[in-house]
Amino acid sequence: MLQALLISNGLQGLEKYYVSNELVQYTICPVTRDFAPDLTPYDLLVVPNGSDHVAMLKIKEQVRAFLAAGKALMCCDGFFTAWVPGNQWVMDNSRRTLDLRYTPGPDAHGLLENLDLDELNFSHGMSGWWSCGYIQAAPGAEVLLADTWQRPIVVLDEVSTPGRMLLTASGPLADVTYAGKSETALVVMYRNFLRLLSSETVPAHG
Amino acid sequence: MAKIGLIFNGVWSHYALATAPKYRDLYELLYVHELTAEAVQHLDALAIPFQSNQQVLTEKQAIIYDFLKAGKKVFLEGDSSTAWLDAQWEDRPVNNYWWVDDPTNPPVSETNYDHPVYQGLTPRQACWHTHGVYTRVPESAEIIQTNATGDVITWQTHAYGGTLLATTLDPLVEHGVQQITHLDNYVDRLTYWLSGEQPSAARMTIDAAAYGVGAVV
């Protein structure tokens, strides 16, 4: 079972979205003034929607060392500070969200398997609901989803570090299928990533 | 020079708003973990956005109440911990699509458009979605917005010296997110009420240089 450290920014309800299950055991780590978590016991670092990217910048070197050890990072949207190795999220509102559609790219590990792309393209018939900037992806990283203007929206980076990073421009990805609820596209993608990390047949360093 | 302190816990939507060229001279980001009484002395108003770190705000509530005691304004949006507020906030499902599914039944049914923030706004500009409700507010509170069942969405009190305006709307966060196109109206009214400064009439834009290594934190 994966051991994951879930960074908490003290927001209402975060624990409801990340519940330990057969794939992963979550340990919640609140951000404090002296934020300096020990990452070494964990396989996966989860930085969810609404996270504190000032705090994450302070532990930039610890994150880099964590990934250098072959571990994994999942970061959902909004990394406006430069703490994610090789990749940068940027806000943008110069395009009409009404025109936004997602296109799948190469997906060597099947992270998009069983994912209904229309769930990301439309909600209640409206497009643009999942629009939050884009990622300046590292050269060689796999762009799993691009937007209408070919900007990276979901990136799997196995080249910038010896570890793996799943990065999304929009959030949240969440792990809420423990109660047998139907799996939404965002849950499917996240759990596909957990299965990839859990798989003994796939090397931790691609 | 900025007149409004935006209490900030490293969330991107707070950052996007406060660094946007339209607003960056009016809002000053105040990182909540480093918040001190000295850091707010020069400001006219504080804004506490949705997705704030309620636990740390509770620890630092004296800074907020001392600011009010000095006769200044505090704006609080979204969800809120009852540990530092004399009110009862309760969670409710967020309805983002009432305007598609049931446009005659918005999450806010009554609004006092005499309040300076709401003057001149259309009903649509005064309500997009809500993050919970207040089921109890201070005895001194004026009710500004309610929903169809009478729960309080927006209220205001002068009981602490200055003015505390609280709402379960989330104009600052959603304007940072930039998926709701009419929010310049609400946020510009709010900004003027808080600071006495009128933002430019232009639509909010993003300065890409404020992201990445150029981030101002």
Side-chain angles (χ1 to χ4, degrees):
Chain A
M1 178 182 288
L2 294 169
Q3 294 297 319
L5 189 68
L6 174 65
I7 304 299
S8 168
N9 199 4
L11 309 189
Q12 289 275 355
L14 177 70
E15 69 283 355
K16 296 178 190 168
Y17 289 93
Y18 294 90
V19 177
S20 298
N21 54 58
E22 75 280 6
L23 287 175
V24 60
Q25 174 77 41
Y26 292 105
T27 299
I28 296 179
C29 175
V31 173
T32 61
R33 180 180 172 84
D34 303 316
F35 180 64
D38 178 11
L39 304 181
T40 51
Y42 302 99
D43 307 301
L44 170 65
L45 177 62
V46 180
V47 183
N49 182 44
S51 279
D52 184 338
H53 295 284
V54 176
M56 292 309 299
L57 184 64
K58 290 179 180 171
I59 65 162
K60 173 183 175 177
E61 293 309 321
Q62 291 96 309
V63 173
R64 185 173 284 278
F66 178 75
L67 290 164
K71 307 292 185 70
L73 165 69
M74 198 280 288
C75 181
C76 283
D77 86 11
F79 43 107
F80 63 87
T81 56
W83 68 268
V84 176
N87 300 267
Q88 182 62 54
W89 175 85
V90 179
M91 181 52 182
D92 182 75
N93 68 346
S94 65
R95 317 282 181 155
R96 293 196 321 165
T97 57
L98 192 66
D99 298 327
L100 206 143
R101 300 291 183 276
Y102 301 106
T103 308
D107 180 19
H109 297 302
L111 297 186
L112 303 180
E113 274 181 17
N114 301 317
L115 182 141
D116 181 357
L117 207 53
D118 271 350
E119 285 188 23
L120 300 182
N121 282 326
F122 302 103
S123 182
H124 294 244
M126 307 303 296
S127 57
W129 72 274
W130 203 51
S131 164
C132 295
Y134 64 95
I135 297 170
Q136 294 169 340
E142 199 170 61
V143 178
L144 297 176
L145 289 179
D147 70 6
T148 305
W149 306 281
Q150 290 78 54
R151 303 180 304 183
I153 300 299
V154 177
V155 172
L156 178 69
D157 186 345
E158 299 176 297
V159 297
S160 295
T161 73
R164 281 196 174 106
M165 294 182 269
L166 179 64
L167 310 169
T168 69
S170 307
L173 296 193
D175 194 5
V176 289
T177 58
Y178 64 96
K181 295 175 185 172
S182 64
E183 294 198 346
T184 65
L186 298 175
V187 175
V188 167
M189 195 189 313
Y190 180 54
R191 288 178 67 85
N192 283 343
F193 185 57
L194 293 179
R195 290 191 190 94
L196 169 65
L197 299 178
S198 301
S199 170
E200 293 180 0
T201 59
V202 178
H205 178 26
Chain B
M1 185 175 175
K3 294 185 171 182
I4 306 166
L6 182 63
I7 297 180
F8 161 65
N9 53 330
V11 173
W12 73 264
S13 56
H14 308 170
Y15 182 83
L17 179 98
T19 60
K22 178 172 176 175
Y23 299 109
R24 64 189 174 198
D25 292 336
L26 297 172
Y27 287 87
E28 177 180 336
L29 288 167
L30 300 170
Y31 188 50
V32 70
H33 296 285
E34 296 166 359
L35 188 66
T36 62
E38 292 71 30
V40 303
Q41 272 182 348
H42 63 291
L43 297 166
D44 293 338
L46 294 178
I48 303 171
F50 175 51
Q51 294 198 321
S52 281
N53 190 322
Q54 295 292 331
Q55 185 176 336
V56 179
L57 286 174
T58 300
E59 293 165 10
K60 301 199 174 200
Q61 60 182 294
I63 296 171
I64 299 166
Y65 285 106
D66 285 348
F67 191 82
L68 283 166
K69 200 179 294 179
K72 298 181 177 183
K73 289 175 177 169
V74 173
F75 174 69
L76 168 66
E77 73 169 29
D79 52 15
S80 186
S81 168
T82 55
W84 69 273
L85 203 63
D86 179 23
Q88 181 67 47
W89 174 88
E90 291 183 11
D91 201 6
R92 296 284 188 277
V94 179
N95 185 353
N96 272 317
Y97 295 99
W98 61 271
W99 55 282
V100 178
D101 299 334
D102 190 5
T104 62
N105 189 23
V108 168
S109 59
E110 297 289 338
T111 296
N112 175 6
Y113 287 101
D114 291 332
H115 188 281
V117 171
Y118 290 85
Q119 285 173 12
L121 297 182
T122 65
R124 186 65 184 279
Q125 291 165 351
C127 170
W128 45 100
H129 59 234
T130 54
H131 288 279
V133 300
Y134 285 99
T135 55
R136 182 180 64 80
V137 297
E139 284 184 14
S140 59
E142 308 158 36
I143 308 305
I144 297 164
Q145 290 185 297
T146 55
N147 66 13
T149 57
D151 292 323
V152 176
I153 302 301
T154 305
W155 55 275
Q156 172 177 284
T157 181
H158 306 291
Y160 306 109
T163 306
L164 171 63
L165 174 62
T167 181
T168 71
L169 299 170
D170 59 346
L172 298 173
V173 158
E174 286 296 346
H175 205 29
V177 171
Q178 283 287 292
Q179 289 179 358
I180 300 173
T181 54
H182 60 67
L183 279 176
D184 286 277
N185 297 287
Y186 190 109
V187 172
D188 290 4
R189 294 294 312 164
L190 174 68
T191 302
Y192 180 73
W193 179 73
L194 289 171
S195 69
E197 299 277 344
Q198 186 65 51
S200 74
R203 180 173 170 258
M204 174 178 148
T205 57
I206 299 294
D207 178 9
Y211 292 78
V213 294
V216 188
V217 292

